[in-house]
Amino acid sequence: MTDRLHTFHGGIHPEEHKTLSTTHPIAQAPIPARLIVPVRQHIGEPARPCVSIGEKVRKGQIIAQADGYVSLPAHAPTSGIVTAIAPHPVPHPSGLSDLCIHIEPDGQDIWIEHSASDYQSMHPSTLRNLLRDMGIAGLGGAVFPTFAKLNPGKAVKIPTLLLNGGECEPWITCDDMVMRERADDILRGAAIMRHLLQSDEILVGIEDNKPQAIAAMRTAAQQSDIPVRIISIPTLYPSGGAKQLIKIITGREVPSGGRSTDIGVATFNVGTALAVHRAVNLGEPMVSRVVTVTGNVGQAQNFDVMIGTPMQDLIALTGLPPEPVSGVIMGGPMMGIKITDLHAPAVKATNCILVKSGTMFPSPPPAMECIRCTRCAEVCPAELQPQALYWFARSKHFDKAREYALFDCIECGCCSYVCPSHIPLVQYYRFAKSEIAATEANERASNLARQRHDARTARLEREARERAERLAQKSAAKPAGDEAKQAAIDAAIARAQTQKTTSE
Ligand code: SF4
Ligand code: SF4
């Protein structure tokens, strides 16, 4: 059956550079001399360390506990000794350090006791708790805790489970290689996800520049007993964006400010499905992931990497770079983040380490004034007006930027890519979003402080009134006429109120 596909607005065709890293199978990266495990690798509250310096840990052991509902634990990626719990450079757009648990591996890679779970017989909330305890986060980039996304809530079921094998960003091939080599396990994970979401169907969207992945997934689908369709979609950046993939495959649009589940679709990266399989069917928490190391390197390749491996160790595995290194990006050239310290570790969000040279990535010419050509709007997959957003962000008219749906911007970079004035548009949108987020955080803090003050004032007033009433009742206990009693009560209340006013 041929699937009827739909299109999304805009999009671009950047050079792919994907074949560089798909000539070799996924290799196992060796255990490094030191592992650095950040406590904050997911959306939500950071995990709380629960080990001490000098403690021996085993592979898969929880070393930091989840702290709150939207949070995940961190696990030891191998056996060894905790040598420090201290800030360390991490891959983050701010370039700042964050709290990390440092482990010196013992080289033996000894697991904690772990075993498979029979998910079919488990209560859904028990199964979700298992996935939380296993530290499973979305590997498509957002690293949102997967267990929370696998809760259909009041909807009871999410009819469509959509696996995202788009991987549309240039240079990155980890999903492609995982689909080629581990297709059966991806579908085993999808079966678990479907069980939790009670989905009627599983769809897998893959760009047609990955014919081997499509073939491997189709073979696995034929052998699987779950209702799954592998759908080849045209190669067009950013078809791997969740909203864009949903539009291409189902024709439905996620409403502005809404979620895909509002229209009955739950989307997950193919790597996340693989991680769910390993967690449930093998009992293995998320202690590793596949990472593409490519660009200006000796031999680009995908590696199965322990979380916490320093990026410089991974780059070293690919041999000498042919040209002088001019920088490193985590992710791809369109949406990735600059890495300023190669001691930073690979984390759950690390899909690619892209090493740059001046030839491969020449510096952009200086930005010029916007000439209102509207080319940015023509390619914007979110159907925004990037030039207007740019003006509002630049002039700090954040309310207007919000009115023009700034938060629907997926930061895909299509607008910057085509801008003839070379304006780094996405940087302006990120700036505006972070300013709005900071203002909202301040407002929340002052609202909380105001609520606390109001509650305290109300409590003091109530206590004063109760005291006054008690005093008045005592005085009223003496024989006296009704008028005298009331006068005594009024006088006591007035005294109490005077005391309160002078004490404030
Ligand atoms: S593409 Fe660049 S120059 Fe053209 S309207 Fe957009 S921001 Fe302005
Ligand atoms: S970065 Fe934002 S504004 Fe620019 S094309 Fe992508 S979605 Fe549109």
Side-chain angles (χ1 to χ4, degrees):
M1 185 176 76
T2 311
D3 290 287
R4 181 168 168 259
L5 298 178
H6 307 262
T7 52
F8 63 88
H9 181 265
I12 55 172
H13 285 284
E15 270 191 63
E16 294 178 8
H17 302 285
K18 286 183 182 266
T19 48
L20 275 177
S21 54
T22 55
T23 52
H24 290 60
I26 299 170
Q28 179 65 54
I31 303 172
R34 194 162 68 126
L35 284 159
I36 318 289
V37 184
V39 296
R40 190 196 312 261
Q41 295 185 57
H42 49 267
I43 299 267
E45 291 299 312
R48 239 177 324 107
C50 58
V51 288
S52 37
I53 295 168
E55 188 172 333
K56 279 189 183 173
V57 291
R58 289 189 168 201
K59 181 172 186 162
Q61 180 179 330
I62 288 183
I63 53 176
Q65 295 280 5
D67 196 5
Y69 179 69
V70 184
S71 183
L72 287 175
H75 301 78
T78 187
S79 52
I81 292 182
V82 176
T83 55
I85 302 172
H88 189 276
V90 292
H92 190 269
S94 68
L96 297 173
S97 293
D98 201 1
L99 187 65
C100 296
I101 299 173
H102 304 226
I103 296 173
E104 190 179 298
D106 60 18
Q108 299 188 48
D109 210 27
I110 302 169
W111 272 98
I112 49 161
E113 274 190 31
H114 59 294
S115 57
S117 299
D118 175 14
Y119 74 90
Q120 310 254 24
S121 66
M122 291 168 81
H123 189 276
S125 62
T126 313
L127 181 51
R128 278 193 290 273
N129 288 345
L130 173 73
L131 292 171
R132 183 199 56 209
D133 295 345
M134 293 287 177
I136 310 299
L139 295 185
V143 278
F144 191 81
T146 300
F147 81 93
K149 267 182 85 178
L150 284 170
N151 189 349
K154 286 186 188 146
V156 183
K157 69 186 267 182
I158 306 291
T160 302
L161 167 59
L162 176 58
L163 290 193
N164 191 342
E167 198 172 56
C168 55
E169 178 131 7
W171 297 90
I172 310 175
T173 60
C174 55
D175 289 349
D176 183 358
M177 294 306 289
V178 161
M179 287 189 284
R180 292 188 200 191
E181 298 186 16
R182 301 172 189 178
D184 292 324
D185 289 345
I186 291 171
L187 294 189
R188 288 186 182 108
I192 298 166
M193 293 168 148
R194 174 179 176 246
H195 175 73
L196 279 171
L197 296 171
Q198 293 293 299
S199 304
D200 302 321
E201 59 176 357
I202 303 173
L203 308 175
V204 187
I206 308 172
E207 277 194 340
D208 57 12
N209 61 357
K210 304 176 189 60
Q212 286 158 281
I214 292 170
M217 290 293 285
R218 285 197 169 140
T219 303
Q222 279 160 8
Q223 290 159 5
S224 170
D225 53 5
I226 53 171
V228 53
R229 280 195 353 254
I230 311 300
I231 302 171
S232 168
I233 61 170
T235 296
L236 175 68
Y237 180 82
S239 62
K243 289 183 179 179
Q244 286 66 42
L245 188 65
I246 291 170
K247 179 76 195 297
I248 295 167
I249 290 184
T250 70
R252 281 173 267 168
E253 301 226 12
V254 179
S256 174
R259 298 177 178 177
S260 66
T261 47
D262 297 340
I263 56 166
V265 184
T267 48
F268 295 89
N269 174 265
V270 287
T272 312
L274 177 65
V276 167
H277 155 71
R278 294 177 81 102
V280 176
N281 295 331
L282 305 177
E284 295 181 5
M286 192 177 265
V287 292
S288 65
R289 67 155 297 154
V290 176
V291 178
T292 308
V293 187
T294 188
N296 177 26
V297 297
Q299 173 57 61
Q301 194 171 357
N302 282 276
F303 295 94
D304 212 329
V305 169
M306 282 183 183
I307 302 291
T309 305
M311 292 196 183
Q312 63 182 5
D313 293 24
L314 297 172
I315 295 170
L317 295 176
T318 58
L320 285 178
E323 297 179 58
V325 173
S326 63
V328 172
I329 296 173
M330 184 178 93
M334 305 297 294
M335 298 181 75
I337 60 171
K338 198 163 116 184
I339 298 299
T340 49
D341 188 333
L342 291 181
H343 294 96
V347 292
K348 291 175 186 175
T350 309
N351 52 1
C352 178
I353 298 171
L354 175 56
V355 182
K356 300 199 296 180
S357 73
T359 324
M360 286 175 179
F361 295 90
S363 303
M368 294 178 293
E369 282 303 310
C370 170
I371 54 169
R372 298 177 189 270
C373 65
T374 70
R375 283 173 67 181
C376 49
E378 284 160 23
V379 297
C380 175
E383 299 186 55
L384 304 176
Q385 295 181 46
Q387 73 280 31
L389 289 174
Y390 160 62
W391 286 112
F392 295 140
R394 191 176 146 169
S395 57
K396 301 193 179 173
H397 285 101
F398 299 131
D399 285 349
K400 290 297 282 181
R402 178 166 249 190
E403 203 180 295
Y404 276 64
L406 171 69
F407 284 93
D408 281 353
C409 167
I410 58 169
E411 300 179 16
C412 64
C414 288
C415 50
S416 310
Y417 186 83
V418 298
C419 177
S421 295
H422 310 291
I423 303 171
L425 296 163
V426 182
Q427 287 180 24
Y428 284 95
Y429 310 148
R430 285 183 181 153
F431 162 70
K433 286 181 185 178
S434 64
E435 287 295 301
I436 292 171
T439 308
E440 286 179 348
N442 282 341
E443 278 170 11
R444 273 198 302 278
S446 16
N447 282 343
L448 194 61
R450 197 176 307 117
Q451 279 167 13
R452 283 192 182 135
H453 175 266
D454 290 350
R456 180 174 177 274
T457 307
R459 178 175 56 79
L460 291 175
E461 282 177 3
R462 192 190 67 243
E463 287 172 1
R465 198 170 51 246
E466 287 170 359
R467 253 196 323 276
E469 283 170 2
R470 277 198 302 278
L471 276 172
Q473 276 164 4
K474 266 191 200 163
S475 316
K478 292 176 192 161
D482 285 350
E483 282 177 18
K485 274 187 200 168
Q486 190 56 49
I489 290 170
D490 291 346
I493 291 174
R495 273 198 306 280
Q497 279 177 343
T498 310
Q499 275 171 11
K500 178 180 155 292
T501 312
T502 49
S503 67
E504 278 182 351

